[in-house]
Amino acid sequence: MVEIKTESELAMMREAGRVVANTLHAVKEAAAIGVSLRELDEVAAHVISEAGAKPSFLHYQPRSAPTPYPNVLCASVNDVVVHGIPTAYRIQDGDLVSIDCGAILDGWNGDAAISFVVGHADPRDLALIEATERALAAGIAAAQPGAKLGDISYAIGTSGRASGFGMLEDHGGHGIGRAMHEDPHLANEGRAGRGMRLKPGLALAIEPMLTRGGDAYRYADDGWSIRTADGSRAAHVEHTIAITEDGPRVLTVR
Ligand code: MF3
Ligand code: CO
């Protein structure tokens, strides 16, 4: 069922989103050559708890997952697209790091992700990240009251494809509110004018995932990490937004 939030509920989601944005900011500041993904997870756990919030990924188990999610963050390095588990792996010069974070504050969820390169960057990785950010911006811009859900998918997909990069198959965004994953599912490619009409009070997590190679993926042995099938590097960025009378409102900014 699609939940429509009141203006005061959106104000609470804004505060949850702020916690997520502050956490991602702190994690990016801490990310450096030699720092382990587990250390980044500890930074996130600290920022979230100091804000009086709870991490939403920790122990999360969708029906499709083999085990409950073991950490606060998803930390996806290089060919890991999403859902990378923060291990003892230490960040190396030139790594493309994607960090996904969710938090619950006063019962409301925020969900966002950033991608960046640590140390000396391959210009092709920077182009990939910029294209992923452009696809997110295009999706947000299409999230207008009165438009259709398919307009957002179309905007993300055409922007991503125009960049010439791959787009991870079968993955997309989602409704969000009291639960991290609510209806509707938001495909990262689709046809304009199709799907449900966007109404003020609908909150969505928009999350394009682009690759420097093809669209195919495989699960790693940990049952969670999704790697590109061809080993190419990938980027993932995400914001939680709300449809309002005045247009899209981004909730996961500081
Ligand atoms: N942004 C991701 C998603 O919507 C976060 C989920 S990670 C999980 O799928 F561990 F919580 F599943
Ligand atoms: Co999400």
Side-chain angles (χ1 to χ4, degrees):
M1 206 183 87
V2 174
E3 306 276 355
I4 295 299
K5 283 83 181 175
T6 64
E7 193 52 51
S8 71
E9 289 172 336
L10 289 184
M12 291 193 273
M13 287 190 70
R14 173 72 183 94
E15 294 314 310
R18 200 187 308 277
V19 173
V20 171
N22 286 337
T23 306
L24 288 172
H25 180 80
V27 168
K28 187 177 179 184
E29 291 279 295
I33 296 165
V35 173
S36 75
L37 302 179
R38 222 172 259 156
E39 285 161 357
L40 297 182
D41 204 64
E42 283 160 16
V43 168
H46 179 78
V47 176
I48 291 170
S49 97
E50 284 289 301
K54 290 241 173 327
S56 49
F57 297 178
L58 189 63
H59 307 318
Y60 184 77
Q61 186 165 22
R63 230 167 308 161
S64 56
T67 49
Y69 191 72
N71 286 83
V72 172
L73 296 176
C74 298
S76 306
V77 178
N78 298 336
D79 64 320
V80 181
V81 191
V82 287
H83 301 171
I85 293 177
T87 60
Y89 175 84
R90 293 190 180 280
I91 295 172
Q92 297 183 28
D93 190 20
D95 275 352
L96 195 174
V97 180
S98 300
I99 302 289
D100 194 343
C101 177
I104 308 174
L105 182 68
D106 299 329
W108 294 95
N109 278 268
D111 185 6
I114 56 174
S115 289
F116 53 90
V117 176
V118 177
H120 296 89
D122 183 330
R124 293 170 299 179
D125 288 338
L126 298 180
L128 173 72
I129 292 167
E130 280 162 23
T132 312
E133 289 171 343
R134 275 201 305 278
L136 174 59
I140 293 171
Q144 300 292 340
K148 296 285 188 71
L149 192 65
D151 296 336
I152 304 178
S153 303
Y154 177 79
I156 298 167
T158 50
S159 172
R161 291 295 174 194
S163 70
F165 291 111
M167 295 190 71
L168 194 74
E169 59 192 14
D170 307 331
H171 281 73
H174 48 93
I176 179 168
R178 290 190 188 276
M180 171 166 60
H181 290 138
E182 294 185 353
D183 289 337
H185 173 71
L186 172 60
N188 279 342
E189 290 188 85
R191 289 165 69 176
R194 297 298 180 95
M196 65 173 284
R197 190 169 292 283
L198 303 175
K199 284 206 299 186
L202 177 66
L204 294 169
I206 304 181
E207 43 183 324
M209 302 150 207
L210 269 59
T211 83
R212 279 178 48 193
D215 303 352
Y217 66 91
R218 59 185 172 79
Y219 283 91
D221 291 338
D222 62 27
W224 275 98
S225 308
I226 291 181
R227 291 180 181 273
T228 56
D230 56 15
S232 62
R233 290 187 170 198
H236 171 226
V237 296
E238 175 177 18
H239 270 308
T240 297
I241 67 115
I243 315 291
T244 77
E245 303 281 1
D246 306 325
R249 181 188 300 165
V250 181
L251 303 176
T252 41
V253 284
R254 297 168 73 215

